[in-house]
Amino acid sequence: MGTLSILSFIGFTLLVAIIAWWSTRSTNERSADGFYLGGRSLGAITIAGSLLLTNLSAEQIVGLNGQAFTEGILVMAWETLAAIAMILTAIVLLPKYMKGGITTIPQFIESRFDTQTKAILSVLFLFAYSLVLLPTILYSGSLAFSSMFDLPNLLGLSQNATIWVCVWSIGIIGSIYAIFGGLKAVAVSDLINAIGLLIGGILIPYFGLKLIGDGSIGDGLSTLWNDHPEKFKLQGEVDSSIPFGTIFTGMILAQMYYWGTNQSILQRVFGAKSLKEGQKGVILAALVKFLIPVIVVLPGVIAWHVFDGSLDKPDLAYPELVRIVLPPALLGFFAAVLFGAVLSSFNSLLNSSATLFGFDLYKYWFKQDATETQTVKAGKRFGLGLAAVSMSIAPFIALAPDGLFAYIQESLGSLSVPIFAVVVVGIYTRKVPALGAKIVLTAGVLMYLLSQFVLSPIFVDGALAQAAAEGVTDAKALSVIKAEAYPHFLHIMGILFLVNVGIMLLVGKLKPKETPYVEMVTDEIDTTPWKYALLAGGIITVLVLSTYLIF
């Protein structure tokens, strides 16, 4: 990075910070609504930008492009199917949440079941944030910066030391944003960075295609299409990371959990000034989400052509492509935008963790008579502690197996399946008791872990051992044998979702609630739905489904 790149990086980062500070001057961050929900003042465009940036971070940009490098565009299912899940969330779940004046998903679970169930759910969320998501975001972002901008040489440090510096730098700045600024500071900075990321992200395939096509984007696309037709198959084979059948089972469940029950995502929407604005924000984000593969998938395919498929690690595809195709004058700007994306995901999760602890644990289990100010302070202190733990764990993720993106998705399945089951049953039934939810939130997690980390290795090792005994040596054949030895983790998610729902309904039949649940109604915000929500959602859904007909 030259002087111009460094100056543009610092300049853009400071600009975002100054605008975020200016926009939050009038919000009372000492109140719960002010700190956690931005004073319920967020509009549709701000919500859409915040949702996209909260979701889009380095581990996704680098990880998905790395998978596209090896498997092609079939991995775009993680993005396009998310649009359908977002539509369902906006039309089906959001009205239920906002009409009850919900601040957190565990708060809804408490009103539907009981305080103990809410505490279990909050602990599961915090466990996922602290041990999986926060450290992974920090590490992935640091790895991207380190390789993309050759920071070890720039700083004169080893690769490991550079990762430590990046992790703590991102973590400290993210903590300041989230803990001392509250949700509105996070959301405003998200909106600015969302615009920057979309612009910067599109520049990478733009310059990449021009490189392939000798100055012509059309020729570049034509070359990719003709030279690598196998990279443009959207329906995954049985041994791919996303077999085609999984999009109808666990894939849509994973998406519905993420967009429909994930606190760090929904907190953006709960801060909306009305249900109408919340729905418009989510649906607008869904439309952009449908187009996001241009940023998180296409560069991976371009990198396959540019590097002849010969990189040491697939995850290097995106950083190395950026290094080659982006003009030096734009490098600092893109570094600032990527920095903002990493920062966004980190501080969003941290703000949500502070919310969960303050609202759902501290006030009920530690100090029941706590004032709003005391609750917010406790949440901030917990957030700082969680940030320190995450920053300490993150550098050691380097020791984790390859394929971190898929590994994260598989690991989070242990939480997403039972949590989504509890939320769905909670919304659509009236007599299922808290006992059913408690069983699913504990046994459901254990069943998934038993399936994926005990039974799956046993079946796979047995199938490969039998194949070796039969003299099978073909790599493709072995890959298929391994894939067919045990159901794909997304299929397991689908199966266990039905099992978990069945358990809750059975408990509801055997030991129903004495007093049926009555849905709460709030008058804190306008809960009139957006009249074009169904039409807009239908159009976006048709667009998503059409991609499977085209490819």
Side-chain angles (χ1 to χ4, degrees):
M1 291 178 71
T3 303
L4 182 60
S5 298
I6 294 173
L7 289 175
S8 60
F9 170 79
I10 295 173
F12 187 79
T13 302
L14 287 176
L15 176 65
V16 173
I18 292 169
I19 294 176
W21 168 79
W22 183 267
S23 301
T24 56
R25 292 173 304 141
S26 61
T27 302
N28 180 13
E29 307 292 354
R30 294 186 178 184
S31 71
D33 263 10
F35 180 72
Y36 295 125
L37 299 178
R40 292 190 189 272
S41 61
L42 304 182
I45 295 177
T46 303
I47 290 170
S50 185
L51 285 175
L52 291 169
L53 246 302
T54 300
N55 169 248
L56 194 62
S57 190
E59 82 278 4
Q60 185 178 18
I61 296 172
V62 175
L64 272 178
N65 275 304
Q67 285 193 326
F69 180 81
T70 55
E71 295 190 277
I73 68 168
L74 70 88
V75 300
M76 71 185 274
W78 285 112
E79 298 300 305
T80 54
L81 291 180
I84 295 179
M86 294 164 79
I87 298 299
L88 291 173
T89 296
I91 295 174
V92 179
L93 297 179
L94 197 55
K96 294 279 187 181
Y97 293 148
M98 298 190 76
K99 285 179 180 178
I102 301 299
T103 302
T104 70
I105 293 302
Q107 181 186 344
F108 164 74
I109 294 300
E110 179 187 34
S111 67
R112 173 59 181 85
F113 297 107
D114 62 15
T115 303
Q116 290 181 334
T117 307
K118 181 188 73 169
I120 294 171
L121 188 63
S122 295
V123 169
L124 287 179
F125 273 132
L126 291 173
F127 179 80
Y129 292 168
S130 61
L131 298 183
V132 181
L133 296 176
L134 284 169
T136 301
I137 289 167
L138 288 173
Y139 173 74
S140 301
S142 300
L143 184 64
F145 277 109
S146 178
S147 59
M148 191 182 299
F149 304 113
D150 198 20
L151 291 184
N153 287 334
L154 182 68
L155 300 176
L157 299 172
S158 67
Q159 176 70 18
N160 186 54
T162 303
I163 293 296
W164 275 95
V165 170
C166 288
V167 162
W168 280 85
S169 299
I170 295 170
I172 290 171
I173 295 173
S175 300
I176 293 171
Y177 260 98
I179 302 304
F180 298 107
L183 177 64
K184 192 168 183 181
V186 173
V188 172
S189 60
D190 281 354
L191 176 60
I192 302 167
N193 280 314
I195 297 170
L197 186 71
L198 290 175
I199 295 172
I202 291 172
L203 287 177
I204 306 305
Y206 170 79
F207 285 113
L209 290 173
K210 289 189 71 173
L211 176 66
I212 295 173
D214 292 326
S216 170
I217 295 176
D219 289 347
L221 278 171
S222 178
T223 299
L224 279 183
W225 183 274
N226 294 325
D227 290 2
H228 311 287
E230 75 283 359
K231 296 295 182 184
F232 291 91
K233 292 181 180 179
L234 198 52
Q235 300 183 18
E237 297 180 1
V238 67
D239 59 337
S240 68
S241 64
I242 309 175
F244 181 65
T246 61
I247 67 175
F248 303 106
T249 56
M251 170 66 81
I252 194 65
L253 289 175
Q255 300 285 12
M256 284 303 300
Y257 158 76
Y258 184 84
W259 296 101
T261 67
N262 187 341
Q263 179 63 28
S264 67
I265 290 294
L266 285 179
Q267 190 168 339
R268 301 291 170 276
V269 191
F270 291 159
K273 62 180 70 173
S274 65
L275 172 59
K276 178 181 177 181
E277 288 298 305
Q279 287 183 315
K280 286 196 292 186
V282 175
I283 292 173
L284 175 59
L287 176 61
V288 179
K289 191 70 174 169
F290 170 69
L291 304 173
I292 287 293
V294 173
I295 295 174
V296 299
V297 175
L298 181 58
V301 180
I302 294 173
W304 177 268
H305 179 89
V306 171
F307 300 111
D308 295 323
S310 60
L311 290 177
D312 293 335
K313 292 182 179 180
D315 284 344
L316 290 174
Y318 194 75
E320 290 298 322
L321 186 66
V322 170
R323 189 202 298 267
I324 287 180
V325 304
L326 205 60
L330 293 175
L331 201 56
F333 164 75
F334 191 75
V337 166
L338 187 63
F339 182 70
V342 175
L343 206 60
S344 171
S345 290
F346 178 76
N347 59 29
S348 295
L349 284 173
L350 205 57
N351 184 272
S352 297
S353 299
T355 306
L356 287 173
F357 180 80
F359 266 89
D360 301 334
L361 296 178
Y362 180 77
K363 198 166 184 177
Y364 289 93
W365 299 98
F366 295 95
K367 192 172 183 179
Q368 294 184 355
D369 61 345
T371 64
E372 268 201 359
T373 301
Q374 290 173 326
T375 302
V376 171
K377 283 184 178 179
K380 289 182 178 181
R381 287 195 297 267
F382 178 81
L384 288 174
L386 197 66
V389 171
S390 301
M391 288 184 280
S392 300
I393 294 174
F396 296 102
I397 294 179
L399 303 176
D402 291 335
L404 193 57
F405 183 82
Y407 178 78
I408 293 169
Q409 298 295 338
E410 185 171 358
S411 298
L412 290 181
S414 63
L415 304 177
S416 60
V417 172
I419 289 174
F420 187 58
V422 168
V423 171
V424 168
V425 173
I427 288 175
Y428 291 103
T429 67
R430 297 290 176 263
K431 293 188 176 182
V432 174
L435 177 62
K438 292 172 186 174
I439 291 173
V440 165
L441 288 177
T442 51
V445 172
L446 295 176
M447 282 191 294
Y448 183 88
L449 294 176
L450 176 67
S451 168
Q452 296 311 108
F453 301 106
V454 177
L455 295 180
S456 180
I458 291 175
F459 278 85
V460 171
D461 290 345
L464 291 178
Q466 182 177 349
E470 295 174 355
V472 178
T473 57
D474 180 70
K476 179 64 177 178
L478 288 172
S479 178
V480 171
I481 289 171
K482 181 178 178 181
E484 293 180 339
Y486 194 78
H488 192 277
F489 80 89
L490 289 172
H491 284 317
I492 293 295
M493 288 174 64
I495 294 168
L496 289 181
F497 175 76
L498 295 178
V499 171
N500 288 329
V501 169
I503 290 173
M504 292 189 71
L505 294 178
L506 179 61
V507 173
K509 188 74 173 177
L510 298 176
K511 300 189 70 174
K513 285 172 66 75
E514 295 181 2
T515 305
Y517 169 70
V518 178
E519 187 177 358
M520 296 188 304
V521 179
T522 183
D523 58 359
E524 291 182 16
I525 61 172
D526 180 7
T527 56
T528 304
W530 184 36
K531 62 181 179 179
Y532 299 115
L534 278 172
L535 175 62
I539 292 173
I540 295 171
T541 300
V542 170
L543 287 174
V544 171
L545 296 178
S546 68
T547 60
Y548 283 89
L549 297 176
I550 296 171
F551 297 103

